[in-house]
Amino acid sequence: MPKNTETTDRHVVLGLFNPATFLPPVLEHIRSQGIPDLLMEILSPLPLETSLLNKPVRIPLHRLTIIGGIVGIGVGIFFAAGTALLFPLVTGGKPIVSIPVVGIISYETMMLMAIVVTFLATAIKIAFVQQSGLRNDPRIDEGSVGLSIQVGNDTAKAHTISQLLQEAGAFEVEIRTIASDS
Amino acid sequence: MNLYRRTLLKILGLTAAGSSLPGCEREVHNLVPYLLPDDNIVPGVANWYTSTCQECEAGCGTIVRVMEGRAKKIEGNPKHPVNEGKLCARGQAALQGLYNPDRLQGPLRREGKRGQGQFRPITWEEGLAEWVEQLRTHAGKSAMITRPVSGTLASLLTTLMDSLSGRLVMYESTGEQTLRTANHLSFGTHDLPYYDLANADYLLSFGAPFLEHWLSPVSFGVAYGKFRQGRPLVRGRFIQVEPRLSLTASNADQWIPLRPGTEGLLAIGIGQVLLRDGLTELSSFHRTSFHQTFSAFSLEDISTKTEVSEEMITQLAHELTSANAPLILGGGPAAAQTNGTTTLILINALNVMIGAIGRRGGLQWMEPQISPVDLARPGLASELTLMDLAGEFEQGSRTLLHLYRADPLFTLPPSLKFERVFDHAQFIVSFSSFLDDSTSMADLILPDHDPLESWGDVVQQDTIPVPAWSVSQPVVRALYDTRPIGDVWLDAAHRLGEPLRERVPWNTLHDMLKSRWQTVLTKHDSPQSFETRWRETLQEGGLWPSNIPMRQTNTVIPSITYKPPEFLGNSSEYPLYCYPYPSLGLHDGRGANRPWLQELPDPLTTGMWGSWIELNPTTAKALGIHPGDRVRVTSGYGSIEASVMVFPGLHPDMIAIPMGQGHRAYGRYAKGRGVNPMVLLGPSFDGQSGSLATGGTRVRVERIKGGSRLPMLEESGKNPVIGRIQETGGL
Amino acid sequence: MTDRPTVWEEMPKINRDLLSPLQTTTWTYYLWVGVLSCFVAAGAGAWTYQIQTGIGQTDLHHPIFWGSYIASFVFWIGVSHSGTFISGVLRLTNAEWRRPVTRMAELMTVVALLVTTLFVFYHLGRVWRFYYLIPYPNQRELWPNFRSPLMWDATAIFTYATASTIYIYLPLIPDFALARDRIQGWRKTVYGWLAIGWHGSQAQWRTLEMAIRIITPLIVMVMISVHSIVGFDFSMALVPAWHSTIFAPYFVVGAVHSGLGMVVIGLYTLRRVYRLHEYVRTEHFEKLGKLLLVTTLLLAYMYFAEQLTVWYGQVPDHMAVQNSLLYGAYAVPFWFMVSCIYIIPLVTLVWPRFRQWPVGLMMIGLIINLGMYIERMLIIVPPLARPRLSFQWDEYFPSLIEFAILVGTLALALLLYSLAVKFVPVISIWEEKLGKKHAQEH
Amino acid sequence: MALLAGSMAMGVGALYSIGSADLPVQDQQPVRFSHRQHAGTLNIHCQFCHRYATQSPVAGVPSMALCQTCHESLSETTPDMKMLRIYWKEKRPIPWVRLQRLPDHVYFTHEMHLFAGLSCTSCHGNVSGMSSTPRAPTYEMGWCLTCHEQRGASHDCWTCHK
Amino acid sequence: MSQDPQATEEYSKTAASPYKWEMVVDLDRCSGCEACVVACHAENNIRISGEEEAAEGRAINWIRIERYWEGDYPNVKAKFLPVMCQHCDDAPCEPVCPVYASYHTPEGLNAQVYNRCIGVRYCGNNCPYVARQFNWFDPHWDEPLAEQLNPDVSVRSGGVMEKCTFCVQRIRSGKEAAHKEGRRVRDGEITPACVQSCPTSALIFGDRNDPDSRVSHLKKSRRGFHLMESLGTHPAVTYLRRLSE
């Protein structure tokens, strides 16, 4: 694939650290390079308790769950009450629209939709995190922590940061270049 | 109700036998049109044709629902005086005789040895030629055994056998010969009376199975409904006395079991009380003669022998006299002993004592009427008559045997050695529709049409308030290459030439039938032409005059000496009485090839598709036998093996076995299924009537290995007790 | 970053240990799979035969219209509660010891639910018309009847199956990523898809954890509703001894009881086969033993309450059923069942020493599941066999075809589980690491 | 993508119409009978041939004799007319290929539908304009129901299911 | 057709339809002769199960005569109870069907739509009268027995639940006949096969909405009761108690 222009390529710098490394000073250095927290990411084999980066976590999952649940209730009401009204057949003297039945079915469909919507949102969120180009390094899972910084198309800056990470104790630093229109 | 029905039904009468009953619009992917349209037939719309049921001798009128040339259902003819629109299980199952997969589809000639059951199809011409040849060869030596037939066919057969110097034997194993003899001896007439159950208010029955198969079960069923609930304020009371709680007995208000064969003794006891307490008004002649008869035993003695308490005997007598219209019946096990006739005469005497003769709600005879067929019904043969016939075959004075819908090899006990007839007969012709046990011994089979395919008429003058002359017409076109027996005989008669030809000049039975009916239908003064009247008759299903006067009957009861029943086999070796009873569905076995009847649960044991041995629970316990165990029943004449059903309503010294199973042939549904209890019976007869005493053989029961799952409707086989079911309101 | 390095250093070993079932396969495994496949094939053959000839290949007959298939359906639904209970309830209560158990239990849930669905199809008289059960617009303009408890059931099971699949999948994403990076060949591609671009960034971790936190209580609620509705299938009917208010909670507890039993069996077997002693320790068995003791007592309490009510009331319809259990036609299986699910677990599990004996616990798990299977049969058959009209009383025992299908399906469940073990790490790797980390921190 | 959409549409369609009673048979009759000719050009009334429609559940195929009432006096101008004559001479009924067939579980009666005032064309379409044998637009339950709904006829399942 | 306002009031539930079909079984008349059983088989194309299936308890009877024993020899009694579908107003079998194969018609019949049935058999469990019967296999008639089959009743395939319909095909044609004449169905004009055949007239069928029908009169009998009344199923079949002293 021919590269159109150098300028549209983006660079990602990934540094691998021993988990014992104290990272906050490193991050400070990078921030001082004019790179906002938003473009930094810490990769780990475990969820880390402490949040070193100052990034707003805006995942409206709860809200989506509730919306899913409400949609589910609607589906349940359609199934239990709507379909019964579409072709009303008396069975066993029970009312065509039986409230307990609507309750039970709506409960199940509410749960179903809530869980499915939550899952879809999660999956989408995981699959399409803003920072594209982040790649897992198998070595992280072997017990290291990765620090990845997006530096845009500024090649020089990438090298600077790479240098910085090495100095901070990264045992491996890698610059990845991603073609913009890939 | 019946009036409304008539508007709904289109009851049709066919006027010509060959009327083109259609091909059909079958559920296939082709639409096959009729070549010629038939005005009577609208595809998709049912026609109803009248007919007469020929499953038993009661002669119920039927209507048959026919759609596109196929008979769909048989129902009772609502206008018929015998059954008033009702029909029993067996009558309705006649359809499965018509559409039976094992029906013979054309004439057959035996191949291989007799009895091997190998036949080859032949043409009618071949068959008729050979048969006529045999008739010539065995001139004057032929005999015919048929199930009772009546009307024109009976007339034809009688005439022909008469002309051929042959012997015509009409035999029916449940023909109630004992009753006929007893009534003849009591009242001097061969006709059976009309038992006016519907108008009686008290019924004492000595074993008469009138709700099962006795005489005219549908007619009795209709009457029974009225007897119980048909009148405001009056509900008939019903007591049944017999050693086994039959279906009829289970409908009784009280069932009184007694020692088998002592029904006559109980009748004596009741009569004694009636006479003693002056509860009867009798002529001095009867008083004297009855006094002798009824004082022969002390009440105490009677009570010991019958196992019915003295109080009960007295109570029965008193109940009989306090009732307005009491009626006493006798039959079933009471007639199935060596003293059967005596017992029934004693019962008749009781009827005389309670004034039931000629009374509303009692026994009635009608004045004889002119019927389309002068000869109502030739007398039925008893088993002793059959023995006599067998003797003739042995001596060689009879050599040619004809069989028609009779299966003596199945219905007679092997101990009578009736197979002698088949061994000695030089040629056997059968007209049966099925390869039953006897027909499979035949040399030539010329299968008859099914009754639903043929013309016929039935004359019913017994056990009925008005005479019924019913017709049957072909409601469907013959399915197979069969020919009506009447036509075949007429054909043969014509082939044999004069003088037979002259005596039966008709070409078909239909012609003969019409010519005979012509005399009756034109006698009734009516301006209409015969054809119109005939068509009307066919639409009605027959002819039954109303307002027939009752006939006065003289009681000619002789002074009777009670004879205790005799049993074959000594009580130490064979401790139990054996009572084979006709099954509700299969009757004497003729219903065994109809899957509906095979699958019809016996109402009391709920057994289906097989045979079983009924044992009293106490007896079973004493013998260490559990329900479902396999046992061998042995008499001095044979033994059978079957599963046990514990039956609470049975005398402890008795076993009961349903008849009708154990065929060696008779199609896929009957063959090899269950056992035939006749195997057990010895040659024990009621001397007066010549009937086989089916209850006259003793047996023993022993447990053998194995056990099988007998199909039962009551699936647990645990004899549910009423206390266990909830909220049925005590039924 | 204050953690001591040990857990980080252990990570390569943990990865190696827990991924090894995915990477190395012994001939005994192939043999096992081969044998199971034969059984599955036999079962499939039996089912085909049943479809071809008719549902009459079972021993069912009126009035016993439900038999082994529905009993198995209930049983397998019960088994499916293992995963949800262990991972759901224990996650909710932050029980740390759950970590090595959750994945294998969740796998059981998914497999059991698959199998459960099969039993519905086995049971149908005209399985080829199953689509009448699906609510979708059609030319008949007719929908299924949601007033039927069976439709509640269908809805609940669909929800439950979907939710459990999601619930096992979410924590698997990091593990799939791990496998993606370490396993070559076609599986790498599949893992790649399933890992949906996982790279372990904190944003991903946070999303994942939040999703798990949201779904966990939901799925516990679904779990409870599912078995309640299975209980409703029976208690909504007028059949004596079915028509009981305790059925819904009783079924839930019963399900957990057999589910836990199954987890113990699975845990023991996997630990033995894949030498996971380092991860699955006696401590886990002991905890499960305690839980089993609790469910035993709870279930016994409910069962006693139910039977006592019947006995004291002496309503004949109900007594007919109870009598058939206590000393009638079903007494032998009944007392066997009582000892299997109540007496034996009770007298053994109360001993702390016993609870530390994995083999013993595994045996108890087996006994409980055998007993629970019989219990399912006894819940279904005797009440049907003793209808109010005693003329119709009857008995039932599964036919050979039924047995073939039941065994085939058990084999299928084992086969699916065995195959899944080759595809999915049986212990959640990242959760195990996290657990270790937590342990070291405290 | 189009393939996927197409197959999905087909799948949905199949799911929608599954269980419909339409027969897939083509109109290939042993004798090429034209309704356009008989009902259209010659303007013969439907019930002249299908004479049982007002009195029976089935409308009935005309008997061969009925065909002859007209055809006897006609000269054989087409091969099909010759075929008809041969069938008649051999006294063989024509095995028409069935195009409309309700399943066994459906109770349908022409009689009551005509009694209710429907005309033949309401269901069978404009037969006089069709060269081949006409058939109902579709034999789907929804089709029946729609008409019943519009005309206020019974919606009870047992009106039509037996 | 005069409508008793009270009766209309009482049956307002079914007022949507002019008819409400009910049956009365007079146990004092029933003799247990089983004519009804064969009539039902002939009318309704009930399959022949054969010995093997019958032994497995699979024989199909839409109407059966149950026999209950009372007492021990010699004071033993056998009592008959004809049981068919009771066509309950509040039928337990109906709501449990997941596909509406079982439902209640406006005329008070408990309907089973065979082609809709998928054979989950829940209805069978839930019928306290064990009136529902299942086709465990495809039916089979040896040729030419199938010629007898009633074209007005569908032949049920294997895997389908079936039961007494009060001979709905007869009701249908009776109503059509009445409709063409622009009148109501008369009492006694429609009889199910069992009622038609019953020799003792123990079975009576009619329209409960017609206050003059025999069924309406007999239902008021002091002998009347319903099977398992306390279950609240409100059967359309009324039994009249058998009398005994």
Side-chain angles (χ1 to χ4, degrees), chain C residues 52-67 69-70 122-130 132-133 138 140 142-151 232-239 242 317 384 387-392 394, chain E residues 53 56-61 64-68 81 83 90-92 94-100 102 113-130 132-138 157-161 227-228 231 233:
Chain C
Q52 265 181 349
T53 53
I55 192 76
Q57 293 302 341
T58 61
D59 186 50
L60 295 167
H61 50 274
H62 71 263
I64 304 160
F65 287 111
W66 285 4
Y69 297 150
I70 294 290
Y122 296 156
H123 175 77
L124 289 184
R126 300 203 301 166
V127 65
W128 50 94
R129 292 268 186 251
F130 75 96
Y132 286 173
L133 287 167
N138 55 75
R140 296 173 293 278
L142 203 52
W143 294 75
N145 174 16
F146 279 95
R147 265 165 279 161
S148 167
L150 293 180
M151 282 312 292
F232 289 162
D233 281 349
F234 300 95
S235 59
M236 293 303 122
L238 279 184
V239 178
W242 278 10
D317 305 339
L384 291 179
R388 289 177 177 86
L389 291 170
S390 56
F391 190 76
Q392 297 289 328
D394 214 336
Chain E
E53 280 188 65
E56 284 161 356
R58 287 171 173 172
I60 289 186
N61 291 292
R64 63 173 182 267
I65 310 291
E66 296 200 343
R67 181 269 295 114
Y68 290 93
L81 179 71
V83 182
D90 295 324
E94 289 167 2
V96 297
C97 177
V99 292
Y100 284 123
S102 175
V113 183
Y114 308 122
N115 58 307
R116 179 70 176 168
C117 177
I118 55 170
V120 296
R121 311 192 283 285
Y122 199 166
C123 54
N125 287 342
N126 216 12
C127 173
Y129 311 100
V130 201
R132 289 182 163 262
Q133 312 273 307
F134 192 71
N135 287 278
W136 300 99
F137 294 105
D138 277 329
S157 70
V160 166
M161 194 62 84
L227 272 190
M228 298 169 211
L231 290 180
T233 53

Side-chain angles (χ1 to χ4, degrees), chain C residues 311-356:
Chain C
W311 178 77
Y312 207 84
Q314 292 281 322
V315 177
D317 305 339
H318 299 249
M319 280 313 288
V321 180
Q322 194 172 63
N323 285 340
S324 77
L325 289 173
L326 293 179
Y327 14 75
Y330 300 100
V332 174
F334 174 78
W335 291 110
F336 181 70
M337 175 274 286
V338 167
S339 18
C340 281
I341 63 177
Y342 303 126
I343 299 173
I344 297 176
L346 202 61
V347 297
T348 51
L349 292 174
V350 286
W351 301 100
R353 291 286 300 279
F354 186 89
R355 294 200 298 267
Q356 289 167 1

Side-chain angles (χ1 to χ4, degrees), chain A residues 21-98:
Chain A
T21 319
F22 189 61
L23 282 177
V26 186
L27 298 175
E28 270 313 311
H29 272 292
I30 296 165
R31 286 187 191 111
S32 66
Q33 289 295 318
I35 296 199
D37 279 16
L38 212 61
L39 295 180
M40 291 190 269
E41 186 55 283
I42 295 170
L43 309 177
S44 61
L46 297 171
L48 301 172
E49 280 91 346
T50 44
S51 170
L52 297 172
L53 294 167
N54 186 20
K55 286 163 88 173
V57 188
R58 284 197 297 123
I59 318 167
L61 259 186
H62 283 103
R63 237 172 291 159
L64 286 173
T65 308
I66 290 167
I67 292 168
I70 290 167
V71 171
I73 291 174
V75 172
I77 290 174
F78 169 71
F79 279 164
T83 64
L85 286 169
L86 279 176
F87 200 124
L89 287 170
V90 177
T91 59
K94 291 192 169 46
I96 299 293
V97 177
S98 303

Side-chain angles (χ1 to χ4, degrees), chain E residues 134-192:
Chain E
F134 192 71
N135 287 278
W136 300 99
F137 294 105
D138 277 329
H140 168 76
W141 286 271
D142 289 324
E143 280 307 314
L145 281 175
E147 301 286 1
Q148 178 274 328
L149 295 181
N150 186 354
D152 297 340
V153 179
S154 46
V155 169
R156 282 78 59 188
S157 70
V160 166
M161 194 62 84
E162 65 180 57
K163 59 159 200 74
C164 161
T165 63
F166 272 175
C167 285
V168 66
Q169 67 281 5
R170 290 175 173 228
I171 296 176
R172 198 186 285 129
S173 62
K175 280 194 319 194
E176 280 177 7
H179 178 64
K180 285 188 91 171
E181 293 172 25
R183 57 171 173 84
R184 275 180 67 98
V185 172
R186 299 189 189 100
D187 190 31
E189 189 176 342
I190 297 173
T191 51

Side-chain angles (χ1 to χ4, degrees), chain C residues 45-338:
Chain C
W47 189 25
T48 315
Y49 181 63
Q50 180 189 288
I51 292 174
Q52 265 181 349
T53 53
I55 192 76
Q57 293 302 341
T58 61
D59 186 50
L60 295 167
H61 50 274
H62 71 263
I64 304 160
F65 287 111
W66 285 4
S68 60
Y69 297 150
I70 294 290
S72 309
F73 165 83
V74 178
F75 174 79
W76 283 103
I77 286 247
V79 170
S80 78
H81 279 50
S82 53
T84 328
F85 183 79
I86 298 274
S87 58
V89 176
L90 299 187
R91 224 175 229 152
L92 269 184
T93 53
N94 270 331
E96 275 296 324
W97 64 269
R98 72 170 195 273
R99 290 180 190 279
V101 190
T102 48
R103 174 68 48 76
M104 53 181 79
E106 283 163 10
L107 260 186
M108 264 178 207
T109 301
V110 175
V111 169
L113 276 172
L114 272 172
V115 166
T116 301
T117 326
L118 273 179
F119 278 105
V120 176
F121 291 112
Y122 296 156
H123 175 77
L124 289 184
R126 300 203 301 166
V127 65
W128 50 94
R129 292 268 186 251
F130 75 96
Y131 57 86
Y132 286 173
L133 287 167
I134 305 169
Y136 70 97
N138 55 75
Q139 53 94 2
R140 296 173 293 278
E141 298 186 2
L142 203 52
W143 294 75
N145 174 16
F146 279 95
R147 265 165 279 161
S148 167
L150 293 180
M151 282 312 292
W152 311 349
D153 220 355
T155 319
I157 288 173
F158 182 74
T159 302
Y160 190 42
T162 316
S164 339
T165 315
I166 288 172
Y167 196 55
I168 192 175
Y169 175 66
L170 282 180
L172 257 173
I173 295 172
D175 285 359
F176 279 142
L178 191 81
R180 170 195 63 197
D181 299 336
R182 278 160 189 78
I183 289 169
Q184 301 307 316
W186 62 272
R187 282 199 285 173
K188 187 182 183 68
T189 326
V190 179
Y191 286 131
W193 287 337
L194 289 170
I196 51 170
W198 183 266
H199 50 257
S201 76
Q202 294 313 294
Q204 286 179 327
W205 279 120
R206 213 144 296 151
T207 316
L208 185 68
E209 285 199 304
M210 184 176 284
I212 292 175
R213 256 203 315 280
I214 293 172
I215 291 179
T216 304
L218 292 184
I219 203 163
V220 171
M221 284 159 79
V222 171
M223 170 194 99
I224 290 169
S225 77
V226 166
H227 228 90
S228 298
I229 288 175
V230 172
F232 289 162
D233 281 349
F234 300 95
S235 59
M236 293 303 122
L238 279 184
V239 178
W242 278 10
H243 199 57
S244 157
T245 50
I246 208 168
F247 259 44
Y250 173 74
F251 269 56
V252 176
V253 176
V256 174
H257 195 48
S258 68
L260 285 176
M262 208 53 115
V263 168
V264 176
I265 301 170
L267 201 62
Y268 177 84
T269 318
L270 288 175
R271 168 171 114 143
R272 221 190 131 130
V273 171
Y274 293 111
R275 303 199 169 71
L276 301 171
H277 296 71
E278 218 174 298
Y279 305 91
V280 181
R281 293 176 301 275
T282 313
E283 164 205 3
H284 296 108
F285 286 97
E286 198 194 351
K287 293 273 172 34
L288 281 170
K290 276 183 187 162
L291 269 182
L292 268 176
L293 188 57
V294 171
T295 51
T296 306
L297 286 168
L298 201 52
L299 198 66
Y301 156 68
M302 286 181 162
Y303 203 67
F304 179 71
E306 163 78 0
Q307 299 297 343
L308 178 72
T309 316
V310 171
W311 178 77
Y312 207 84
Q314 292 281 322
V315 177
D317 305 339
H318 299 249
M319 280 313 288
V321 180
Q322 194 172 63
N323 285 340
S324 77
L325 289 173
L326 293 179
Y327 14 75
Y330 300 100
V332 174
F334 174 78
W335 291 110
F336 181 70
M337 175 274 286
V338 167

Side-chain angles (χ1 to χ4, degrees), chain E residues 10-85:
Chain E
E10 198 179 328
Y11 282 83
S12 56
K13 231 187 210 170
T14 51
S17 159
Y19 304 112
K20 165 82 173 78
W21 304 112
E22 297 212 349
M23 194 183 274
V24 170
V25 181
D26 189 342
L27 296 176
D28 208 25
R29 281 175 181 253
C30 174
S31 71
C33 74
E34 298 193 333
C36 49
V37 178
V38 173
C40 182
H41 274 68
E43 174 73 19
N44 290 305
N45 301 343
I46 295 175
R47 68 201 300 266
I48 298 156
S49 302
E51 181 178 6
E52 242 171 78
E53 280 188 65
E56 284 161 356
R58 287 171 173 172
I60 289 186
N61 291 292
W62 285 8
I63 180 169
R64 63 173 182 267
I65 310 291
E66 296 200 343
R67 181 269 295 114
Y68 290 93
W69 290 110
E70 196 179 62
D72 290 312
Y73 183 88
N75 299 312
V76 62
K77 273 190 172 160
K79 293 189 167 177
F80 298 114
L81 179 71
V83 182
M84 73 298 286
C85 172

Side-chain angles (χ1 to χ4, degrees), chain B residues 28 37 42 123 153 172 179 183 197 221 224 240 311 318 397 437 494 508 588 609 631 645 679 683:
Chain B
V28 289
V42 177
T123 64
L153 182 60
E172 161 83 290
L179 183 69
N183 280 2
L197 176 60
Y224 176 75
Q240 177 101 344
E311 297 75 46
H318 287 235
S397 54
D437 292 25
H494 292 195
T508 61
D588 59 352
W609 290 103
V631 293
M645 284 210 193
V679 169

